[in-house]
Structure formats: structure tokens, C-alpha cells
Amino acid sequence: MELKLGLVCVILLFPVLCNAQGIFTKSRASYYGTPDGYGNPRGACGFGDYGRMVNGGSVSAVSAKLWKNGAGCGACYQVRCKIPQLCDVNGAYVVVTDYGEGYRTDFIMSPRGFSKLGRNPAASDKLKKYGVLDVEYKRVPCTFKGYNIMFQINEHSSNPGYFAIAVLYVGGTYDVTAVELWQNRKWEPLRRSYGGVFDFANPPRGEIRLRFQVSTNAGLKWVVPTVPIPANWKAGATYTTSI
């Protein structure tokens, strides 16, 4: 189930207009194996099956500096390799769904993501034989959905005793750094449980109001849904926000 929440925002965010131009950073990339080439549903971001299928399965685990203690979950990157006769000029566009790193390696990609590095299927097969590739990457705006923030009530939530959400998607090049819940006439912080999952023990009965702290080039700003999560919320429900 997917529900839409309006947002009042203390700063105007325009992810569609974000400038994707930027300096590429040198690194290395590898890949992990899955039976079907899609992502790992048990990734450290806590995305579940969404983390396997999002972006057509072109996803990646990233190193600690891009992981950002979970704040990097859902970020989008352009990654391109550097063998002209084999590598596609645009490279791969991947979504962060997991944590993992090797020696000087910032990306460990799903098979589908890694295959996008090649100019064609034959080139992709040759690149896989290298195992690890020299690459360059940059953060790019996430635009594969149409929202600014999408979150899902975590499967372990239980109304009314325990409330947890996974922040699945953040538009543009923004990170959700904190989430708060309105209770007893004040904002109470949710705990970052792991990855992109935030939780709160003993949430208020009835509707739940949240606000999200988002990192921008200008600093940290709060966005507040104008419509609360309904009192009959259930685990697995997905909510989208628009500005």
C-alpha cells in the first residue's frame, strides 16, 4: 500500500533541477553474486525486497565514507570504468542499499549494476573477469521515482507498541540525517536503529506526525508532512512525500 503525504518545507528543494555536474572521484569497484543478478534483500540499509529490485536491480554496497553510518542509504551515484574499448561512456547509475568495502574499493555492486559499466553484453562479461575495476564516481540526483522522500513502516513494527520506518528514497542529492516524532507537545527523536531504519518504542496512540532532517548544501533543514500517518497504520505500508 502506498499513501501520499503533503509536505510543508522550511527550505525549497528542487531535486529535478539539481545540477548533476561535478568532479569525479577515483576509486575501485567490484561486484557480489546473486542468483538472479538483482540486489541483496538483506542489505544493511534495511530495505528488504525493495533493496533488491529498486532501480531495476542496479544497486550497490558502499564504503564507510559513502555509507555515512546509514545516512548514505538510498543515495544515487554514477560510476564509470576506464577501459575505453570495454567501458560505457556514461557507466552505471546505482542506488546505495548496503554497506561493504574492500581495499581502496568504494563500490561492491549487484551483478546487474556492474554489467551496466560495459559498452555491451560482451564487454560486460569481459569486465566481470577482472573482478575489481578502476573507476571514477560522483553523486547524482535520484530521479527514478517522482517523490522527495519515500519511507516504509518496518516489518517489525507493531501498532501501538513499536514503531519503525525505513527511509527508502530521498530525491535529489540529499540525505535524511534524523527523524523526529511529535509527542507530548514536543518533537522526540527516533533512534537510528541501523542503516536507513529509524525506530521509536511506545509511540503515541492515534495519528503519528513525523518530520525529517535533510542535509543540503546550505546545511541541515527540516521538512514536515502536513498529513499525519493514520492511526490504523500497519507494518509494510509505504508513504511518499511531495513538496
Side-chain angles (χ1 to χ4, degrees):
M1 176 175 63
E2 185 174 300
L3 303 175
K4 210 160 230 198
L5 305 179
L7 278 185
V8 171
C9 186
V10 296
I11 186 173
L12 295 178
L13 305 180
F14 297 108
V16 176
L17 301 180
C18 285
N19 190 346
Q21 300 298 318
I23 298 174
F24 281 89
T25 301
K26 293 181 180 180
S27 184
R28 302 200 305 171
S30 185
Y31 66 96
Y32 56 85
T34 61
D36 55 10
Y38 287 90
N40 175 17
R42 295 178 296 278
C45 284
F47 288 174
D49 200 56
Y50 174 87
R52 187 177 77 89
M53 300 292 293
V54 66
N55 197 37
S58 292
V59 298
S60 185
V62 294
S63 64
K65 70 179 181 182
L66 302 181
W67 170 249
K68 306 175 188 176
N69 195 33
C73 287
C76 298
Y77 289 90
Q78 180 184 5
V79 184
R80 59 190 189 190
C81 56
K82 303 167 73 174
I83 306 173
Q85 64 270 29
L86 297 178
C87 297
D88 182 83
V89 64
N90 293 313
Y93 293 86
V94 295
V95 179
V96 175
T97 60
D98 203 352
Y99 166 78
E101 58 186 307
Y103 177 65
R104 296 191 298 110
T105 300
D106 288 310
F107 294 87
I108 303 177
M109 304 164 71
S110 67
R112 282 179 173 254
F114 196 84
S115 68
K116 299 292 185 182
L117 295 172
R119 296 169 61 112
N120 51 54
S124 295
D125 288 341
K126 291 180 180 179
L127 289 174
K128 284 185 177 181
K129 293 179 181 178
Y130 283 82
V132 181
L133 294 172
D134 289 326
V135 299
E136 56 186 13
Y137 72 89
K138 68 177 178 179
R139 180 86 180 262
V140 295
C142 292
T143 57
F144 53 87
K145 290 288 184 181
Y147 336 106
N148 291 105
I149 299 174
M150 181 168 72
F151 62 94
Q152 183 178 62
I153 298 180
N154 184 266
E155 61 184 352
H156 298 298
S157 297
S158 178
N159 192 349
Y162 175 71
F163 178 76
I165 64 168
V167 179
L168 302 178
Y169 168 82
V170 184
T173 56
Y174 307 105
D175 298 324
V176 171
T177 56
V179 183
E180 293 186 344
L181 177 151
W182 183 254
Q183 181 172 246
N184 298 326
R185 299 184 179 181
K186 62 180 179 179
W187 290 106
E188 300 278 2
L190 274 71
R191 177 184 68 126
R192 186 184 288 275
S193 176
Y194 64 95
V197 178
F198 296 82
D199 68 358
F200 194 94
N202 300 315
R205 292 179 180 270
E207 297 178 336
I208 292 180
R209 294 185 176 274
L210 298 177
R211 69 175 184 173
F212 299 85
Q213 187 182 67
V214 197
S215 65
T216 73
N217 292 335
L220 298 175
K221 303 295 179 180
W222 289 98
V223 292
V224 185
T226 57
V227 179
I229 296 171
N232 63 344
W233 58 265
K234 296 180 180 179
T238 300
Y239 297 87
T240 64
T241 66
S242 58
I243 294 174

